[in-house]
Short mmCIF file of all heavy atoms in Angstrom, two decimals:
data_model
loop_
_atom_site.label_atom_id
_atom_site.label_comp_id
_atom_site.label_asym_id
_atom_site.label_seq_id
_atom_site.Cartn_x
_atom_site.Cartn_y
_atom_site.Cartn_z
N ILE K 1 -3.32 -11.69 5.76
CA ILE K 1 -3.00 -11.16 4.45
C ILE K 1 -2.80 -12.35 3.57
O ILE K 1 -1.95 -13.19 3.77
CB ILE K 1 -1.71 -10.23 4.53
CG1 ILE K 1 -1.96 -9.10 5.52
CG2 ILE K 1 -1.37 -9.71 3.11
CD1 ILE K 1 -0.63 -8.41 5.89
N ILE K 2 -3.54 -12.31 2.47
CA ILE K 2 -3.37 -13.38 1.40
C ILE K 2 -2.15 -13.12 0.59
O ILE K 2 -1.96 -12.07 0.01
CB ILE K 2 -4.64 -13.48 0.53
CG1 ILE K 2 -5.92 -13.76 1.45
CG2 ILE K 2 -4.45 -14.55 -0.52
CD1 ILE K 2 -7.25 -13.67 0.73
N ILE K 3 -1.22 -14.14 0.57
CA ILE K 3 -0.06 -14.05 -0.17
C ILE K 3 0.16 -15.20 -1.14
O ILE K 3 -0.44 -16.23 -0.93
CB ILE K 3 1.25 -13.90 0.73
CG1 ILE K 3 1.34 -15.11 1.71
CG2 ILE K 3 1.22 -12.57 1.53
CD1 ILE K 3 2.68 -15.19 2.44
N ASP K 4 1.05 -15.03 -2.10
CA ASP K 4 1.35 -16.20 -3.02
C ASP K 4 2.66 -16.80 -2.51
O ASP K 4 3.20 -16.46 -1.48
CB ASP K 4 1.42 -15.74 -4.40
CG ASP K 4 2.48 -14.72 -4.76
OD1 ASP K 4 3.40 -14.57 -3.96
OD2 ASP K 4 2.46 -14.15 -5.85
N GLU K 5 3.22 -17.68 -3.35
CA GLU K 5 4.40 -18.42 -2.87
C GLU K 5 5.66 -17.52 -2.84
O GLU K 5 6.73 -17.88 -2.28
CB GLU K 5 4.71 -19.60 -3.84
CG GLU K 5 5.14 -19.17 -5.30
CD GLU K 5 3.92 -18.83 -6.15
OE1 GLU K 5 2.78 -18.93 -5.75
OE2 GLU K 5 4.15 -18.39 -7.35
N ARG K 6 5.58 -16.22 -3.39
CA ARG K 6 6.70 -15.34 -3.34
C ARG K 6 6.38 -14.22 -2.28
O ARG K 6 7.01 -13.23 -2.29
CB ARG K 6 6.97 -14.79 -4.71
CG ARG K 6 7.39 -15.79 -5.70
CD ARG K 6 7.54 -15.24 -7.12
NE ARG K 6 8.27 -13.99 -7.18
CZ ARG K 6 9.57 -13.94 -7.32
NH1 ARG K 6 10.32 -14.97 -7.23
NH2 ARG K 6 10.18 -12.75 -7.39
N ASN K 7 5.35 -14.41 -1.47
CA ASN K 7 4.94 -13.41 -0.45
C ASN K 7 4.35 -12.21 -1.03
O ASN K 7 4.21 -11.19 -0.28
CB ASN K 7 6.07 -13.10 0.50
CG ASN K 7 6.44 -14.32 1.34
OD1 ASN K 7 7.22 -15.13 0.84
ND2 ASN K 7 6.04 -14.38 2.53
N GLU K 8 3.92 -12.19 -2.28
CA GLU K 8 3.36 -11.00 -2.84
C GLU K 8 1.82 -11.06 -2.59
O GLU K 8 1.19 -12.05 -2.65
CB GLU K 8 3.56 -10.92 -4.35
CG GLU K 8 3.16 -9.58 -4.96
CD GLU K 8 3.73 -9.38 -6.39
OE1 GLU K 8 4.08 -10.48 -7.03
OE2 GLU K 8 3.71 -8.16 -6.83
N THR K 9 1.28 -9.82 -2.26
CA THR K 9 -0.17 -9.70 -2.06
C THR K 9 -0.82 -9.53 -3.42
O THR K 9 -0.21 -9.55 -4.45
CB THR K 9 -0.45 -8.51 -1.20
OG1 THR K 9 -0.12 -7.29 -1.87
CG2 THR K 9 0.38 -8.54 0.11
N ASN K 10 -2.10 -9.26 -3.45
CA ASN K 10 -2.87 -8.92 -4.68
C ASN K 10 -2.47 -7.63 -5.28
O ASN K 10 -2.79 -7.28 -6.39
CB ASN K 10 -4.35 -9.02 -4.46
CG ASN K 10 -4.81 -7.89 -3.48
OD1 ASN K 10 -4.32 -7.79 -2.34
ND2 ASN K 10 -5.71 -7.06 -3.90
N VAL K 11 -1.71 -6.83 -4.49
CA VAL K 11 -1.22 -5.51 -5.08
C VAL K 11 0.16 -5.62 -5.49
O VAL K 11 1.10 -6.00 -4.70
CB VAL K 11 -1.29 -4.41 -3.91
CG1 VAL K 11 -0.78 -3.06 -4.43
CG2 VAL K 11 -2.77 -4.31 -3.41
N LYS K 12 0.41 -5.46 -6.84
CA LYS K 12 1.78 -5.66 -7.35
C LYS K 12 2.73 -4.77 -6.57
O LYS K 12 2.55 -3.64 -6.37
CB LYS K 12 1.73 -5.24 -8.82
CG LYS K 12 1.01 -6.22 -9.73
CD LYS K 12 1.72 -7.51 -9.70
CE LYS K 12 0.92 -8.54 -10.53
NZ LYS K 12 1.23 -9.90 -10.18
N GLY K 13 3.86 -5.42 -6.16
CA GLY K 13 4.99 -4.75 -5.54
C GLY K 13 4.80 -4.58 -3.96
O GLY K 13 5.62 -4.00 -3.36
N VAL K 14 3.65 -5.18 -3.43
CA VAL K 14 3.43 -5.16 -2.03
C VAL K 14 3.56 -6.61 -1.50
O VAL K 14 2.91 -7.46 -1.98
CB VAL K 14 2.01 -4.58 -1.69
CG1 VAL K 14 1.78 -4.67 -0.15
CG2 VAL K 14 1.87 -3.14 -2.05
N PHE K 15 4.55 -6.81 -0.53
CA PHE K 15 4.76 -8.10 -0.02
C PHE K 15 4.51 -8.14 1.42
O PHE K 15 4.63 -7.07 2.12
CB PHE K 15 6.28 -8.44 -0.35
CG PHE K 15 6.63 -8.48 -1.79
CD1 PHE K 15 6.91 -7.24 -2.50
CD2 PHE K 15 6.61 -9.63 -2.48
CE1 PHE K 15 7.15 -7.23 -3.78
CE2 PHE K 15 6.82 -9.68 -3.85
CZ PHE K 15 7.17 -8.45 -4.55
N ALA K 16 4.29 -9.41 1.93
CA ALA K 16 3.97 -9.49 3.37
C ALA K 16 4.57 -10.84 3.95
O ALA K 16 4.81 -11.72 3.13
CB ALA K 16 2.50 -9.46 3.67
N ALA K 17 4.82 -10.81 5.21
CA ALA K 17 5.47 -12.02 5.80
C ALA K 17 5.06 -12.13 7.24
O ALA K 17 4.69 -11.09 7.90
CB ALA K 17 6.96 -12.03 5.67
N GLY K 18 5.12 -13.30 7.77
CA GLY K 18 4.95 -13.52 9.20
C GLY K 18 3.55 -14.10 9.60
O GLY K 18 2.78 -14.52 8.70
N ASP K 19 3.22 -14.00 10.79
CA ASP K 19 2.00 -14.64 11.36
C ASP K 19 0.77 -13.89 10.87
O ASP K 19 -0.37 -14.44 11.04
CB ASP K 19 2.02 -14.66 12.94
CG ASP K 19 3.05 -15.56 13.44
OD1 ASP K 19 3.70 -16.32 12.66
OD2 ASP K 19 3.17 -15.60 14.68
N CYS K 20 0.90 -12.66 10.40
CA CYS K 20 -0.25 -11.96 9.81
C CYS K 20 -0.62 -12.38 8.41
O CYS K 20 -1.64 -11.85 7.82
CB CYS K 20 -0.01 -10.48 9.80
SG CYS K 20 1.35 -9.91 8.73
N THR K 21 0.04 -13.34 7.89
CA THR K 21 -0.23 -13.75 6.52
C THR K 21 -0.91 -15.20 6.48
O THR K 21 -0.98 -15.83 7.55
CB THR K 21 1.08 -13.92 5.64
OG1 THR K 21 1.86 -14.94 6.16
CG2 THR K 21 1.77 -12.55 5.65
N THR K 22 -1.22 -15.65 5.30
CA THR K 22 -1.89 -16.98 5.26
C THR K 22 -0.88 -18.14 5.26
O THR K 22 -1.28 -19.30 5.09
CB THR K 22 -2.67 -17.06 3.88
OG1 THR K 22 -1.80 -16.70 2.81
CG2 THR K 22 -3.87 -16.16 3.93
N VAL K 23 0.36 -17.90 5.56
CA VAL K 23 1.34 -18.91 5.57
C VAL K 23 0.99 -19.89 6.73
O VAL K 23 0.58 -19.34 7.80
CB VAL K 23 2.74 -18.41 5.76
CG1 VAL K 23 3.00 -17.78 7.04
CG2 VAL K 23 3.85 -19.46 5.51
N PRO K 24 1.04 -21.17 6.57
CA PRO K 24 0.65 -22.09 7.65
C PRO K 24 1.77 -22.18 8.76
O PRO K 24 2.91 -21.71 8.50
CB PRO K 24 0.50 -23.37 6.98
CG PRO K 24 1.35 -23.36 5.81
CD PRO K 24 1.32 -21.92 5.26
N TYR K 25 1.44 -22.69 9.87
CA TYR K 25 2.37 -22.95 10.94
C TYR K 25 3.00 -21.66 11.48
O TYR K 25 4.08 -21.19 11.13
CB TYR K 25 3.53 -23.90 10.56
CG TYR K 25 2.99 -25.15 9.85
CD1 TYR K 25 3.32 -25.34 8.53
CD2 TYR K 25 2.14 -25.98 10.52
CE1 TYR K 25 2.86 -26.51 7.84
CE2 TYR K 25 1.61 -27.13 9.80
CZ TYR K 25 1.94 -27.35 8.48
OH TYR K 25 1.47 -28.45 7.89
N LYS K 26 2.26 -21.00 12.34
CA LYS K 26 2.65 -19.74 12.98
C LYS K 26 3.73 -19.99 14.01
O LYS K 26 3.41 -20.22 15.16
CB LYS K 26 1.45 -19.03 13.65
CG LYS K 26 0.20 -18.95 12.76
CD LYS K 26 0.40 -18.18 11.42
CE LYS K 26 -0.89 -17.92 10.77
NZ LYS K 26 -0.73 -17.56 9.29
N GLN K 27 4.95 -19.96 13.59
CA GLN K 27 6.14 -20.15 14.45
C GLN K 27 7.18 -19.15 14.11
O GLN K 27 7.25 -18.63 12.94
CB GLN K 27 6.73 -21.50 14.25
CG GLN K 27 5.75 -22.71 14.46
CD GLN K 27 5.47 -22.86 16.04
OE1 GLN K 27 6.40 -22.67 16.83
NE2 GLN K 27 4.22 -23.13 16.37
N ILE K 28 7.90 -18.77 15.11
CA ILE K 28 8.96 -17.72 14.92
C ILE K 28 9.94 -18.05 13.75
O ILE K 28 10.25 -17.22 12.96
CB ILE K 28 9.78 -17.44 16.22
CG1 ILE K 28 8.75 -16.78 17.24
CG2 ILE K 28 10.96 -16.62 16.01
CD1 ILE K 28 9.43 -16.70 18.63
N ILE K 29 10.41 -19.27 13.82
CA ILE K 29 11.34 -19.68 12.73
C ILE K 29 10.75 -19.62 11.38
O ILE K 29 11.46 -19.21 10.36
CB ILE K 29 11.93 -21.13 13.07
CG1 ILE K 29 13.16 -21.37 12.21
CG2 ILE K 29 10.92 -22.13 12.89
CD1 ILE K 29 14.44 -20.60 12.49
N ILE K 30 9.52 -19.93 11.21
CA ILE K 30 8.85 -19.83 9.92
C ILE K 30 8.65 -18.36 9.52
O ILE K 30 8.99 -17.97 8.39
CB ILE K 30 7.54 -20.63 9.94
CG1 ILE K 30 7.85 -22.14 10.07
CG2 ILE K 30 6.68 -20.40 8.66
CD1 ILE K 30 6.69 -22.97 10.30
N ALA K 31 8.24 -17.51 10.49
CA ALA K 31 8.03 -16.11 10.20
C ALA K 31 9.38 -15.48 9.80
O ALA K 31 9.44 -14.60 8.87
CB ALA K 31 7.45 -15.43 11.41
N THR K 32 10.43 -15.89 10.40
CA THR K 32 11.80 -15.36 10.01
C THR K 32 12.14 -15.71 8.60
O THR K 32 12.62 -14.87 7.80
CB THR K 32 12.91 -15.90 11.00
OG1 THR K 32 12.45 -15.55 12.35
CG2 THR K 32 14.20 -15.27 10.68
N GLY K 33 12.00 -16.97 8.22
CA GLY K 33 12.30 -17.39 6.89
C GLY K 33 11.34 -16.68 5.89
O GLY K 33 11.78 -16.32 4.74
N GLU K 34 10.06 -16.54 6.20
CA GLU K 34 9.09 -15.86 5.33
C GLU K 34 9.57 -14.39 5.20
O GLU K 34 9.35 -13.79 4.09
CB GLU K 34 7.69 -15.95 5.90
CG GLU K 34 7.10 -17.31 5.78
CD GLU K 34 6.85 -17.75 4.32
OE1 GLU K 34 6.16 -17.07 3.61
OE2 GLU K 34 7.45 -18.85 3.94
N GLY K 35 10.11 -13.75 6.20
CA GLY K 35 10.54 -12.35 6.05
C GLY K 35 11.68 -12.27 5.05
O GLY K 35 11.75 -11.39 4.27
N ALA K 36 12.68 -13.17 5.19
CA ALA K 36 13.79 -13.24 4.22
C ALA K 36 13.21 -13.50 2.80
O ALA K 36 13.71 -12.79 1.86
CB ALA K 36 14.74 -14.32 4.63
N LYS K 37 12.23 -14.37 2.64
CA LYS K 37 11.70 -14.64 1.33
C LYS K 37 10.96 -13.45 0.75
O LYS K 37 11.12 -13.06 -0.39
CB LYS K 37 10.78 -15.84 1.43
CG LYS K 37 10.29 -16.35 0.05
CD LYS K 37 9.66 -17.76 0.18
CE LYS K 37 8.22 -17.61 0.74
NZ LYS K 37 7.49 -18.85 0.64
N ALA K 38 10.22 -12.64 1.60
CA ALA K 38 9.46 -11.52 1.12
C ALA K 38 10.55 -10.42 0.71
O ALA K 38 10.36 -9.70 -0.25
CB ALA K 38 8.56 -11.00 2.29
N ALA K 39 11.55 -10.28 1.55
CA ALA K 39 12.61 -9.25 1.21
C ALA K 39 13.28 -9.60 -0.09
O ALA K 39 13.50 -8.72 -0.95
CB ALA K 39 13.68 -9.17 2.34
N LEU K 40 13.59 -10.83 -0.42
CA LEU K 40 14.24 -11.22 -1.62
C LEU K 40 13.17 -11.03 -2.81
O LEU K 40 13.55 -10.51 -3.88
CB LEU K 40 14.72 -12.68 -1.59
CG LEU K 40 15.93 -12.93 -0.70
CD1 LEU K 40 16.17 -14.39 -0.46
CD2 LEU K 40 17.22 -12.24 -1.24
N SER K 41 12.00 -11.34 -2.61
CA SER K 41 10.93 -11.15 -3.56
C SER K 41 10.73 -9.73 -3.90
O SER K 41 10.60 -9.25 -5.06
CB SER K 41 9.62 -11.72 -3.16
OG SER K 41 9.70 -13.12 -3.03
N ALA K 42 10.81 -8.79 -2.85
CA ALA K 42 10.73 -7.33 -3.10
C ALA K 42 11.85 -6.80 -3.83
O ALA K 42 11.73 -6.04 -4.82
CB ALA K 42 10.48 -6.68 -1.70
#
């Protein structure tokens, strides 16, 4: 899933996080942080 720096997709109001996104370094600790970031952005 292509996301921006706030974890938003191309669809306004739809956010994504974790290993299924374009975020580099597929690691649990990174996915956890990305989940928090996506929740705050949402």
Side-chain angles (χ1 to χ4, degrees):
I1 303 166
I2 300 171
I3 58 171
D4 65 14
E5 68 279 355
R6 296 174 50 85
N7 294 76
E8 191 167 19
T9 67
N10 65 301
V11 178
K12 291 293 177 203
V14 176
F15 300 83
D19 291 357
C20 64
T21 69
T22 52
V23 69
Y25 313 117
K26 311 299 189 201
Q27 300 289 321
I28 292 170
I29 191 68
I30 292 170
T32 303
E34 289 293 303
K37 193 167 76 171
L40 290 168
S41 294

